[in-house]
Amino acid sequence: MDEYLSEKEQIEKLRGWWSDNGSWVIAGIALGVALLVGWNGWQGYVTRRAEEASALYTQLAALSVKGDLAGAERDQALDIGQRLKSGFAATPYDEQGALALARINVDAGFLDEAAAELDYVLNQSDDPELAMVARVRLARIRLQQDRLDDAAAVLAVEDAGAFKARVAELRGDIAHARGDLGAARAAYEEALAGTDSGVVNRVYVQMKLDDLAVSEGSGPQETPAAGDDAS
């Protein structure tokens, strides 16, 4: 009988506890289920957005490799690029899309439009390497436009990281365009000397150095005359 009463008392205690706390337990379970459903829904939403952005970028990348786009294809590319910027700015695809649009615009001869896309990447990207890609390409465009001061300003970075050799080569191109052959030579030699020089076309850079020797008239047989002129 004592054991029976003890079990009965325990049941009554459980009933009392449930009466006091049952609503909170049910609410907690409901909240947990709601959070789980909400989390799964959010994950699904993020996945769908990433898939949509990826599909748009794939279309844009396919257009960018065609070369000189005109008419409907160029309009399509511009539309995709705008959709990536306006709808998917929190994903990596809008910046990659801007780089693709810059290439399309360069191929079509729209250099200012290409520069605008590269400026967008520079201003938006949190990825230092991606920003350096945009920086190097923008400097090349400004050099092509003969905007030498703008090209030099774009390359005014303290640490170019893995792009050090490329930046040095471009600085050499800018100096050469200005007629500063000594600075051009130093820059080209820097591009070839670094441990990261493999990221540049070494043969091409060496050709630039060889052309400088001809331009300067400073081949081995000309060296004394050059010294006499300097004095």
Side-chain angles (χ1 to χ4, degrees), residues 8 22 47 94 116 132 136 151 168 181 188-189 193 208:
K8 186 175 181 180
T47 299
D94 68 322
M132 279 302 303
V136 167
L181 302 187
Y188 291 147
E189 289 175 346
K208 293 179 182 181

Side-chain angles (χ1 to χ4, degrees), residues 3-82:
E3 291 179 1
Y4 175 78
L5 290 176
S6 177
E7 290 177 1
K8 186 175 181 180
E9 288 175 354
Q10 290 175 13
I11 292 172
E12 290 299 325
K13 287 181 179 180
L14 287 173
R15 285 176 176 172
W17 181 89
W18 182 259
S19 177
D20 293 337
N21 302 285
S23 58
W24 294 104
V25 172
I26 293 172
I29 293 173
L31 178 60
V33 171
L35 289 173
L36 181 60
V37 171
W39 173 253
N40 288 337
W42 171 253
Q43 289 293 96
Y45 170 75
V46 170
T47 299
R48 287 192 300 273
R49 277 178 54 81
E51 289 173 349
E52 185 178 351
S54 177
L56 287 172
Y57 174 70
T58 299
Q59 294 178 49
L60 184 58
L63 288 169
S64 72
V65 298
K66 286 188 175 183
D68 186 0
L69 298 184
E73 283 189 324
R74 185 168 185 273
D75 290 341
Q76 181 186 3
L78 295 176
D79 177 67
I80 292 173
Q82 185 56 45

Side-chain angles (χ1 to χ4, degrees), residues 114-135:
E117 297 296 338
L118 297 172
D119 271 327
Y120 174 83
V121 177
L122 281 176
N123 293 328
Q124 297 294 324
S125 182
D126 294 327
D127 183 340
E129 289 195 2
L130 192 64
M132 279 302 303
V133 169
R135 188 177 297 278

